[in-house]
Amino acid sequence: MSTILIIIIVIGVAVVSFLGFIATRPNDFRLERSALVNAPAATVFPLIADFHRWTVWSPFEKMETEGALKRSYGGAASGLGATYGWEGPKTGVGAMEIIEADTDRRLLIKLDFFKPFEAHNMAEFTLAPEAGGTRVTWAMFGPQPFVAKLMSLVFNNEKMMGPVFLDGLAAMKAAAEG
């Protein structure tokens, strides 16, 4: 065999092996952070259930320069059926809808990203009594298609988004305790 053919075969085997490795990555992801808020769940829950109040604590609201983020609200005023859409140069385009609400205990939000990339995930907030306050857990989870599996080799979701969730929980804590 010629040297060129051997090189092509080796490169082909390497590419197929790499693609096979990517395919073995998990099909789903889950990112989760929590914080203890020194306030009752009845104080914390409305900060999450009312999308209008996310401007107080959500780290994503603060990523855009003043006036750059376009917001739209719909559905219920808060809780089950409330919707929120956004469009910004840094945050992209997306929408959320509260699809489950258990007052003072849990919210499940359908989270859709359209730009700069399309993704369809869930965000979940759980509130549990703890040490005279409320343990708030913020999680995001969903499918991890092939391209996301490939990206996860370069971009560590835990390292990129974990601190963002913690910033949001710290701002929520300040708002609830203030």
Side-chain angles (χ1 to χ4, degrees):
M1 279 201 281
S2 75
T3 305
I4 293 176
L5 183 57
I6 292 172
I7 291 172
I8 290 172
I9 291 171
V10 168
I11 290 172
V13 168
V15 168
V16 169
S17 297
F18 181 66
L19 294 175
F21 171 72
I22 292 169
T24 65
R25 308 282 295 166
N27 291 327
D28 299 297
F29 79 95
R30 182 175 181 91
L31 174 69
E32 178 178 301
R33 296 293 184 272
S34 69
L36 181 60
V37 178
N38 296 314
T43 301
V44 179
F45 190 81
L47 292 171
I48 308 165
D50 182 351
F51 286 132
H52 296 89
R53 297 186 69 187
W54 282 44
T55 57
V56 174
W57 64 268
S58 173
F60 302 104
E61 294 279 341
K62 294 162 183 48
M63 287 182 178
E64 300 289 354
T65 56
E66 188 67 34
L69 185 62
K70 296 177 189 169
R71 300 174 186 90
S72 62
Y73 301 95
S78 69
L80 186 63
T83 63
Y84 171 69
W86 72 89
E87 181 175 349
K90 294 179 184 172
T91 55
V93 178
M96 296 189 288
E97 178 183 2
I98 298 175
I99 59 171
E100 290 181 24
D102 186 0
T103 303
D104 297 342
R105 293 177 32 169
R106 181 176 177 266
L107 275 170
L108 185 63
I109 300 170
K110 182 178 155 210
L111 177 59
D112 295 311
F113 299 97
F114 304 112
K115 289 182 182 176
F117 58 87
E118 187 169 340
H120 304 285
N121 300 317
M122 303 297 277
E124 179 182 49
F125 292 87
T126 55
L127 292 80
E130 182 180 316
T134 305
R135 170 68 55 186
V136 180
T137 302
W138 182 3
M140 182 171 69
F141 55 93
Q144 186 164 253
F146 190 83
V147 172
K149 291 178 185 185
L150 175 62
M151 290 175 52
S152 74
L153 296 175
V154 178
F155 302 105
N156 184 322
N157 209 17
E158 285 286 331
K159 288 183 181 175
M160 283 181 16
M161 295 306 298
V164 174
F165 276 32
L166 289 174
D167 287 346
L169 289 166
M172 183 188 298
K173 175 180 174 69
E177 293 175 1

